[in-house]
Amino acid sequence: MADIAAKEKFLEQLEQNQDIVHKICGLYAHNTHDRKDLSQDIICQLWKARRSFRGDSKFTTWMYRVALNTALLNLRRRRRRLRTESLNGNHDNITAETGDPEIHLRIAALYEAINRLPEFDRAIVLLYLEQLSYTEISEITGISESNVGVRLVRIRKKLRQLLE
Amino acid sequence: MENNNLIEIWKQGNREILKNARFERSELEAFLKPKITKTTFSLNANILVYMAAQLAAMVLIGFDLYAYRSNPLMLKVLIPMLAACSAFLGYGVFLLCHIRQINLGDFDLVTAINKKCKAYRTHYEAWMWMGAVSLLFLTFALNALIDNDQGTYRINRPVFFAVICLFTVLFIYGAQKIAQSFALSQIRVYLADIRNDTLEGSHRLEKAKRKYMLFILIIALILTITFILGIIKATNP
């Protein structure tokens, strides 16, 4: 009985915060098939790790942490295949869904710029763009707050260069 | 470009991505069903193999204990072996739980990798010795059981026997150590890449992996040919 209740609660929280999964998949998987695979992996890993959530941090912080760990490890496993794929896979899908070409170009440029960053920096920039605090970014990634700050200055500078 | 602009573009991108990406509850449940069953059984294969060998050794030692029940010397050897095998098996269970805890724990990426490295250096190092000794126990128990059918167990050349035992343990440990070193180096490179903000190490490692694969293929080919020649020679003396 308790198991069913726990599963229900977990699924409810997951359903409420599933945007996190989609955003991470959008960044780390480059086509619809890979995104679906990665989202399944992340959801499964979240389910397996659900007992490790003790409520010390926010549910979303825990979710970002598990989801990013899964995405990064998954990326390593699939790197060989990913390297042969075009970085434009992601942007093509956005084109199909977006009506305004100017908005599309800006989004595509941002995604392409982020995709040019090292994978760990991609995680940091995702959390930054999601407007998480340095403390939360530090909790999720395991690097110190000051290191987060230093990296973000460098990442933003690089992103601006790439976008300009 | 201003930081606020970046965030605004990001939000617009998300709106597009999330427009059609939402999962229904039924989809989430469908994702979990097959994966949970699969992952429950996908435990560390190496540990499980050696645990199976330990279990087999314990069963064989059990048979030996019965077969040599009237031989006090053999009992003195077999009982400590059985106790050691039980202890090794217990350690295997502990190790599986420990690795599972690391994999499922609420750790950030860097901590999780550090914990894995530590587990490899400490618990797994001990486990490799236990695995090597367990296989020796398994072969000893099997030989003792076969010999019991033909009389009694007897070591004709004790020094030679000790050397062969030592060589066996070292060989099994060495083989595991090579595999462990490679796994550990992969984890270390990953950690270094995160710290140094590069991917160079990972790229180098992938090249090294391809070289290793070629080496393993050559060894496998040589062993297969030797095995086939051995069988041919044995069937045509």
Side-chain angles (χ1 to χ4, degrees), chain B residues 10 14 73 75 111 114 120-121 138 145 171 196 206:
Chain B
W10 174 254
N14 280 339
L73 185 64
L75 289 180
T111 313
N114 275 326
Y120 262 115
R121 281 197 311 268
L138 180 67
L145 199 63
F171 180 78
N196 301 335
E206 275 184 23

Side-chain angles (χ1 to χ4, degrees), chain B residues 100-217:
Chain B
R100 196 176 149 77
Q101 252 179 353
I102 295 173
N103 285 338
L104 303 183
D106 184 14
F107 307 118
D108 56 68
L109 188 63
V110 175
T111 313
I113 293 172
N114 275 326
K115 277 183 179 287
K116 271 183 193 168
C117 279
K118 198 180 167 195
Y120 262 115
R121 281 197 311 268
T122 54
H123 297 302
Y124 196 76
E125 183 70 32
W127 174 254
M128 287 190 300
W129 284 112
M130 289 178 200
V133 174
S134 305
L135 287 188
L136 185 71
F137 284 178
L138 180 67
T139 47
F140 177 84
L142 190 64
N143 285 337
L145 199 63
I146 292 166
D147 281 7
N148 183 258
D149 277 345
Q150 299 161 352
T152 186
Y153 188 76
R154 187 186 159 98
I155 299 168
N156 294 322
R157 288 185 287 173
V159 178
F160 183 67
F161 177 77
V163 170
I164 289 292
C165 286
L166 189 68
F167 179 76
T168 309
V169 169
L170 289 176
F171 180 78
I172 298 167
Y173 170 80
Q176 289 190 92
K177 185 76 184 170
I178 291 169
Q180 182 235 23
S181 304
F182 193 69
L184 196 56
S185 69
Q186 266 183 311
I187 295 174
R188 280 186 186 140
V189 166
Y190 188 16
L191 190 63
D193 275 359
I194 287 175
R195 283 183 178 150
N196 301 335
D197 206 9
T198 62
L199 290 174
E200 283 171 19
S202 309
H203 292 166
R204 270 202 308 273
L205 197 68
E206 275 184 23
K207 279 183 191 165
K209 239 187 206 176
R210 281 195 283 273
K211 274 185 197 165
Y212 265 108
M213 279 307 291
L214 188 70
F215 177 71
I216 288 168
L217 275 175

